[in-house]
Amino acid sequence: MNKFLEKITNEFRGGKMTPLLFKKILRYAGRSASKFAGNLIPMSHIIKGLSIKPSSLNLSTINTCNARCIFCAYQYLTAPRGIMSDKVFKKAVNDFVDIGGGNVGFTPTVGDALLDPEIIERIKYCRSFSNIKNIGFYTNGIFLSNIDLKQFLTSGINSISISMGGFDRKSYEKVYGVDRFNEVYKGIINSCKVNEDLGKPVKISISLRTYKSINEVMKESAYKEINGLVDNIDYQYNFDSWNGMIKQSDLLGFMKLRELEQKSDPCSILYSGLSVFWNGDVTACGCRDLNGDSELILGNIMENSLIDLWNGEKLKKIRQGFRKGEIPDICKDCSHYDSIKNSKTFHFWREARKNLKLYKK
């Protein structure tokens, strides 16, 4: 608890109690309660259940972006750009549905899902299956003004999180590298209004990535207006280095790189789900496999089924390697790492239980 309080005191410089700080404390309390419940359950049971099938599927249908964020490795992308074909998309989704489904995400490793011209139809296709639950993704929101918001918000998507570099034009451009603040601002306002008219079918939240202190941000007029419309605003101040690609000197103000954790246990991402790139390649980690050429590529969806890749020897060896000190190069300097021990929560046990019940059938 002391470590947590120290962390958020550093985050919210000055230690003043703000609505965002209060929300963080409530979320921490909720996670602590969930972890306490999870500690009553043997780790072996959770791992057994999570190992049966992927509980989530992420579809990186595009790897092109319309921003140049200072904290993102998109600037170092060397892989070919492309958009997922309908054939690859449906094969991945159908495989997922056949093994029980779960949650679907459309957040690319780098890029923006809204640039996919078929994104609305793809969401509708996923929603047509009863065993696909939550559908959502992160977006920079630049393209919100270029899509039919009513169609988008009624497509079957559950949530979108819009990342922003600040609530004023100058700071936004400094962090996101493009002068698109006015478009994003209008897109958020219009999306929230349409969502309200539709009965709020979609949870709209903001992931704030800024170099300013939260107390400075909260004084800005755009923040005050948007805060009254969205479901949540979360302040992101720690960033991953993308294996050393991003330096502290690339960041501004209060932004800082996360510290590396010791990796003696497998990353929880290796047990949560799989990601499919636009070309059909399947990776065990859609978070940091930038160019899709790492040891985490398990195969191609057009040549293998999702469940075969999930249960394959390659993924088993990657998981086991963490305990032997044989960590994939891409994972060694990754501060996005999250130990499987953090999966000892009620949420992960619930997912494990679902898989165990499905397996018994």
Side-chain angles (χ1 to χ4, degrees), residues 2-203:
N2 289 337
K3 187 176 181 181
F4 169 75
L5 289 175
E6 182 182 350
K7 177 181 175 182
I8 57 176
T9 299
N10 289 334
E11 177 178 349
F12 296 86
R13 298 294 198 274
K16 295 180 180 179
M17 179 60 72
T18 66
L20 285 184
L21 176 55
F22 184 64
K23 286 181 181 179
K24 283 239 173 187
I25 292 173
L26 288 180
R27 283 200 296 275
Y28 173 79
R31 285 197 300 268
S32 296
S34 178
K35 199 158 189 177
F36 175 77
N39 281 330
L40 302 176
I41 304 160
M43 190 75 236
S44 59
H45 285 227
I46 294 177
I47 289 179
K48 181 181 178 182
L50 294 178
S51 300
I52 290 172
K53 62 174 283 295
S55 297
S56 65
L57 174 67
N58 192 66
L59 299 158
S60 292
T61 64
I62 192 167
N63 63 344
T64 301
C65 196
N66 46 4
R68 299 293 182 273
C69 304
I70 61 175
F71 56 82
C72 180
Y74 179 71
Q75 56 196 299
Y76 300 109
L77 180 68
T78 59
R81 270 70 162 178
I83 301 175
M84 186 179 286
S85 70
D86 197 47
K87 190 174 181 181
V88 169
F89 171 74
K90 288 187 175 177
K91 170 64 163 58
V93 174
N94 292 346
D95 272 12
F96 189 55
V97 168
D98 287 345
I99 59 175
N103 298 328
V104 170
F106 283 91
T107 304
T109 302
V110 289
D112 196 273
L114 290 181
L115 292 177
D116 178 355
E118 302 297 324
I119 187 62
I120 292 177
E121 293 307 312
R122 296 192 198 275
I123 294 169
K124 287 180 178 178
Y125 184 77
C126 290
R127 180 50 64 211
S128 69
F129 297 100
S130 60
N131 62 2
I132 286 185
K133 306 305 179 184
N134 294 315
I135 304 173
F137 59 85
Y138 280 81
T139 173
N140 58 38
I142 293 173
F143 219 63
L144 281 172
S145 299
N146 297 74
I147 63 173
D148 186 317
L149 289 174
K150 186 174 181 180
Q151 279 198 39
F152 174 60
L153 294 169
T154 57
S155 62
I157 192 165
N158 298 98
S159 64
I160 57 168
S161 185
I162 303 164
S163 61
M164 291 189 72
F167 285 97
D168 68 280
R169 184 176 175 182
K170 184 178 178 181
S171 61
Y172 180 93
E173 186 174 0
K174 280 186 176 181
V175 178
Y176 276 53
V178 290
D179 184 12
R180 310 294 288 272
F181 172 75
N182 290 335
E183 293 169 64
V184 176
Y185 174 70
K186 290 177 183 176
I188 293 172
I189 298 296
N190 290 336
S191 297
C192 289
K193 287 181 178 177
V194 173
N195 196 45
E196 183 74 32
D197 291 342
L198 294 169
K200 299 191 75 172
V202 180
K203 179 180 179 181

Side-chain angles (χ1 to χ4, degrees), residues 184-338:
V184 176
Y185 174 70
K186 290 177 183 176
I188 293 172
I189 298 296
N190 290 336
S191 297
C192 289
K193 287 181 178 177
V194 173
N195 196 45
E196 183 74 32
D197 291 342
L198 294 169
K200 299 191 75 172
V202 180
K203 179 180 179 181
I204 301 175
S205 58
I206 303 294
S207 183
L208 181 60
R209 295 164 165 89
T210 178
Y211 61 87
K212 293 183 177 181
S213 73
I214 194 61
N215 290 321
E216 287 180 89
V217 171
M218 290 178 67
K219 295 175 184 177
E220 294 170 343
S221 58
Y223 167 83
K224 293 176 182 178
E225 183 176 9
I226 290 175
N227 185 46
L229 296 173
V230 298
D231 290 278
N232 182 56
I233 297 179
D234 191 41
Y235 179 43
Q236 176 75 24
Y237 69 103
N238 275 340
F239 299 86
D240 182 49
S241 73
W242 292 81
N243 286 76
M245 293 182 190
I246 304 300
K247 313 291 184 185
Q248 181 62 50
S249 57
D250 295 322
L251 306 180
L252 302 169
F254 290 110
M255 303 169 78
K256 63 180 181 180
L257 294 178
R258 297 190 195 103
E259 295 181 4
L260 290 176
E261 291 184 38
Q262 185 178 354
K263 301 176 177 71
S264 56
D265 294 288
C267 181
S268 63
I269 292 173
L270 300 176
Y271 288 90
S272 61
L274 295 173
S275 288
V276 183
F277 291 139
W278 73 269
N279 62 358
D281 284 345
V282 180
T283 178
C285 174
C287 294
R288 291 297 175 264
D289 197 353
L290 178 63
N291 288 304
D293 57 359
S294 77
E295 303 158 74
L296 300 180
I297 296 295
L298 305 177
N300 191 283
I301 192 65
M302 300 309 294
E303 300 167 0
N304 310 270
S305 68
L306 275 182
I307 195 63
D308 285 345
L309 293 173
W310 182 257
N311 292 325
E313 287 302 313
K314 188 166 186 180
L315 184 52
K316 288 179 183 177
K317 286 180 180 179
I318 292 171
R319 291 168 176 164
Q320 293 167 358
F322 274 81
R323 293 196 171 94
K324 298 177 182 178
E326 299 169 0
I327 301 173
D329 289 340
I330 192 174
C331 303
K332 289 178 180 176
D333 295 322
C334 178
S335 61
H336 203 67
Y337 165 82
D338 183 43

